Amino acid sequence: MVKLNKIYTRTGDDGTTGLVDGSRLPKHDARMEAIGAVDEANSAVGLAAVAWAQSGFAEPLYRIQNDLFDLGADLATPAAEEDDFAPSEMVLRVVSAQVEWLEKAIDAANARLEPLTSFVLPGGSEVAARLHLARAAVRRAERAMTAMASQSLTNPQALAYINRLSDYLFVLARVANDDGRADVKWIPGANR
């Protein structure tokens, strides 16, 4: 259980931050970049959820925000071995069920849409624009996570989750654009 009585600790004043296992890393470490990018993505998802709250579509976004906190905890818990990604009472890990939920959600949302015949611009409605912004933030988090994975053991389910999440946000943005009917299509070279 998390209990925060005091927000500042002064322990990071030396440019380091603590991980779940008690170790400390420089705040610019690849692991911290990944954790920070996931936090930024979570904030962008929250912005989209607020815009979509009136429509009843926000619940999946709230679930995703919770999962992104799980993902941050996963990234903040270094693994000692390749097979060290099983969750336990003391270790929070992203699991295959979270990835599978996203895949089912993508399929359900995509079933509402006509197939794409062009790339779409990140806009249309306000909600769609916010979802596209969240998608772009998730893509940045994915790049940071894969950079981290090139240096440190990283949970494969965490990598799968962040990859599926950007796909889901793209499909949701199309749903928010009147099930794709209000998508703004890219016209290559239109302004030459």
Side-chain angles (χ1 to χ4, degrees):
M1 178 58 75
V2 174
K3 183 176 181 181
L4 298 173
N5 289 330
K6 193 171 185 179
I7 299 303
Y8 64 90
T9 62
R10 297 188 174 118
T11 58
D13 291 352
D14 65 353
T16 65
T17 193
L19 298 177
V20 172
D21 67 358
S23 63
R24 297 194 70 78
L25 288 176
K27 291 185 179 191
H28 61 271
D29 185 88
R31 182 177 299 276
M32 298 316 303
E33 279 293 325
I35 292 168
V38 167
D39 184 38
E40 183 180 345
N42 200 342
S43 296
V45 170
L47 191 61
V50 167
W52 224 0
Q54 305 87 313
S55 68
F57 281 98
E59 277 308 313
L61 297 177
Y62 297 142
R63 177 187 175 131
I64 287 164
Q65 286 192 286
N66 198 81
D67 284 351
L68 287 172
F69 258 77
D70 289 355
L71 177 56
D74 187 321
L75 297 176
T77 309
E81 300 174 13
E82 288 282 341
D83 60 351
D84 199 17
F85 295 110
S88 69
E89 190 173 313
M90 299 303 293
V91 177
L92 189 57
R93 296 288 186 201
V94 172
V95 296
S96 61
Q98 289 166 294
V99 177
E100 290 163 9
W101 180 87
L102 273 177
E103 290 173 348
K104 289 176 185 171
I106 292 166
D107 292 342
N110 203 43
R112 300 169 57 133
L113 306 171
E114 293 294 321
L116 282 172
T117 57
S118 171
F119 288 109
V120 297
L121 301 179
S125 69
E126 180 182 353
V127 172
R130 288 183 189 205
L131 287 162
H132 279 295
L133 183 63
R135 175 192 51 78
V138 166
R139 285 282 191 219
R140 180 183 13 245
E142 182 179 20
R143 291 190 301 274
M145 286 174 60
T146 58
M148 179 191 125
S150 73
Q151 301 173 8
S152 306
L153 295 174
T154 304
N155 181 357
Q157 293 303 319
L159 293 167
Y161 184 89
I162 201 74
N163 184 265
R164 295 308 178 287
L165 180 54
S166 59
D167 295 335
Y168 183 51
L169 294 171
F170 175 78
V171 172
L172 280 186
R174 295 199 64 220
V175 168
N177 275 339
D178 193 22
D179 288 334
R181 289 181 286 278
D183 282 340
V184 180
K185 302 283 187 344
W186 173 48
I187 303 168
N191 300 313
R192 289 186 191 170

